[in-house]
Coordinates of all heavy atoms in Angstrom, one line a residue:
P30 N -32.9 -22.8 6.3 CA -31.8 -23.0 5.4 C -32.3 -23.3 4.0 O -33.3 -24.0 3.8 CB -31.0 -24.2 5.9 CG -32.0 -24.9 6.7 CD -32.9 -23.9 7.3
T31 N -31.6 -22.8 3.0 CA -32.0 -23.1 1.6 C -31.4 -24.5 1.3 O -30.5 -25.0 2.0 CB -31.4 -22.1 0.6 OG1 -30.0 -22.1 0.7 CG2 -31.9 -20.7 1.0
R32 N -31.8 -25.1 0.2 CA -31.3 -26.4 -0.2 C -29.8 -26.3 -0.5 O -29.1 -27.2 -0.1 CB -32.0 -26.8 -1.5 CG -33.5 -27.2 -1.3 CD -34.1 -27.7 -2.6 NE -35.5 -27.9 -2.4 CZ -36.1 -29.0 -2.0 NH1 -35.3 -30.0 -1.8 NH2 -37.4 -29.1 -1.9
A33 N -29.4 -25.2 -1.1 CA -27.9 -25.1 -1.4 C -27.1 -25.0 -0.1 O -26.1 -25.6 0.1 CB -27.7 -23.9 -2.2
E34 N -27.6 -24.3 0.9 CA -26.9 -24.2 2.2 C -26.9 -25.5 2.9 O -25.9 -25.8 3.5 CB -27.6 -23.1 3.1 CG -27.4 -21.7 2.6 CD -28.4 -20.7 3.3 OE1 -29.3 -21.2 3.9 OE2 -28.1 -19.5 3.3
L35 N -28.0 -26.2 2.9 CA -28.0 -27.5 3.5 C -27.0 -28.5 2.9 O -26.3 -29.2 3.6 CB -29.4 -28.1 3.4 CG -29.7 -29.5 4.1 CD1 -29.4 -29.4 5.6 CD2 -31.1 -30.0 3.9
R36 N -26.9 -28.5 1.5 CA -26.0 -29.3 0.9 C -24.5 -29.0 1.3 O -23.7 -29.8 1.6 CB -26.1 -29.2 -0.7 CG -25.2 -30.1 -1.5 CD -25.4 -29.9 -2.9 NE -25.0 -28.6 -3.4 CZ -25.8 -27.7 -3.9 NH1 -27.1 -27.9 -4.0 NH2 -25.3 -26.5 -4.3
A37 N -24.3 -27.7 1.3 CA -22.9 -27.2 1.7 C -22.6 -27.6 3.1 O -21.5 -28.0 3.4 CB -22.8 -25.7 1.5
L38 N -23.6 -27.5 4.0 CA -23.4 -27.8 5.4 C -23.1 -29.3 5.6 O -22.2 -29.7 6.3 CB -24.6 -27.4 6.2 CG -24.5 -27.6 7.8 CD1 -23.4 -26.7 8.3 CD2 -25.8 -27.3 8.4
I39 N -23.8 -30.1 4.9 CA -23.6 -31.6 4.9 C -22.2 -31.9 4.4 O -21.5 -32.7 5.0 CB -24.7 -32.3 4.1 CG1 -26.0 -32.2 4.9 CG2 -24.3 -33.8 3.9 CD1 -27.2 -32.8 4.1
Q40 N -21.8 -31.3 3.3 CA -20.5 -31.5 2.7 C -19.4 -31.1 3.7 O -18.4 -31.7 3.9 CB -20.4 -30.8 1.4 CG -21.2 -31.4 0.3 CD -21.2 -30.5 -1.0 OE1 -21.0 -29.3 -0.9 NE2 -21.6 -31.2 -2.1
Q41 N -19.6 -29.9 4.3 CA -18.6 -29.4 5.3 C -18.5 -30.3 6.4 O -17.4 -30.6 6.9 CB -19.1 -28.0 5.7 CG -18.2 -27.4 6.8 CD -18.8 -26.1 7.4 OE1 -19.7 -25.5 6.9 NE2 -18.3 -25.8 8.6
H42 N -19.6 -30.7 7.0 CA -19.6 -31.6 8.2 C -18.9 -33.0 7.8 O -18.1 -33.5 8.6 CB -21.0 -31.9 8.7 CG -21.5 -30.7 9.4 ND1 -22.8 -30.7 10.0 CD2 -21.0 -29.5 9.7 CE1 -23.0 -29.5 10.6 NE2 -21.9 -28.8 10.4
G43 N -19.2 -33.5 6.6 CA -18.6 -34.7 6.2 C -17.1 -34.6 6.1 O -16.4 -35.5 6.5
A44 N -16.6 -33.5 5.5 CA -15.2 -33.3 5.3 C -14.5 -33.1 6.7 O -13.4 -33.7 6.9 CB -15.0 -32.1 4.4
E45 N -15.2 -32.4 7.6 CA -14.6 -32.1 8.9 C -14.5 -33.4 9.7 O -13.5 -33.7 10.3 CB -15.4 -31.1 9.7 CG -15.2 -29.7 9.1 CD -16.1 -28.7 9.9 OE1 -16.9 -29.1 10.7 OE2 -16.0 -27.5 9.6
L46 N -15.6 -34.2 9.6 CA -15.6 -35.5 10.4 C -14.5 -36.4 9.8 O -13.8 -37.1 10.6 CB -17.0 -36.1 10.3 CG -17.1 -37.4 11.1 CD1 -16.8 -37.2 12.5 CD2 -18.6 -38.0 10.9
S47 N -14.4 -36.5 8.5 CA -13.4 -37.4 7.9 C -12.0 -37.0 8.3 O -11.2 -37.8 8.6 CB -13.6 -37.4 6.3 OG -12.6 -38.2 5.7
S48 N -11.8 -35.6 8.3 CA -10.4 -35.1 8.6 C -10.1 -35.5 10.1 O -9.0 -35.9 10.4 CB -10.4 -33.6 8.4 OG -9.2 -33.1 8.9
Q49 N -11.1 -35.3 11.0 CA -10.8 -35.6 12.4 C -10.6 -37.1 12.6 O -9.8 -37.5 13.5 CB -12.0 -35.1 13.3 CG -12.0 -33.5 13.3 CD -10.8 -32.9 13.9 OE1 -10.2 -33.4 14.9 NE2 -10.3 -31.9 13.2
L50 N -11.4 -37.9 11.9 CA -11.2 -39.3 12.1 C -9.8 -39.8 11.6 O -9.2 -40.7 12.2 CB -12.3 -40.1 11.3 CG -13.7 -40.0 12.0 CD1 -14.7 -40.7 11.1 CD2 -13.7 -40.7 13.3
Q51 N -9.4 -39.2 10.5 CA -8.0 -39.5 10.0 C -7.0 -39.1 11.0 O -6.0 -39.8 11.2 CB -7.8 -38.8 8.6 CG -8.6 -39.4 7.5 CD -8.3 -38.7 6.2 OE1 -7.2 -38.2 5.9 NE2 -9.4 -38.6 5.3
A52 N -7.2 -37.9 11.6 CA -6.2 -37.5 12.6 C -6.2 -38.4 13.8 O -5.2 -38.7 14.4 CB -6.6 -36.0 13.1
H53 N -7.4 -38.8 14.2 CA -7.5 -39.8 15.3 C -6.8 -41.1 15.0 O -6.1 -41.6 15.8 CB -9.0 -40.0 15.6 CG -9.3 -41.1 16.6 ND1 -8.9 -41.0 18.0 CD2 -9.8 -42.4 16.5 CE1 -9.3 -42.1 18.6 NE2 -9.8 -42.9 17.8

């Protein structure tokens, strides 16, 4: 993965986890 892809993946996972925790 490139640096940009890694950053985007981390941001995506953070947003998804936050969303699921809020739903929980």
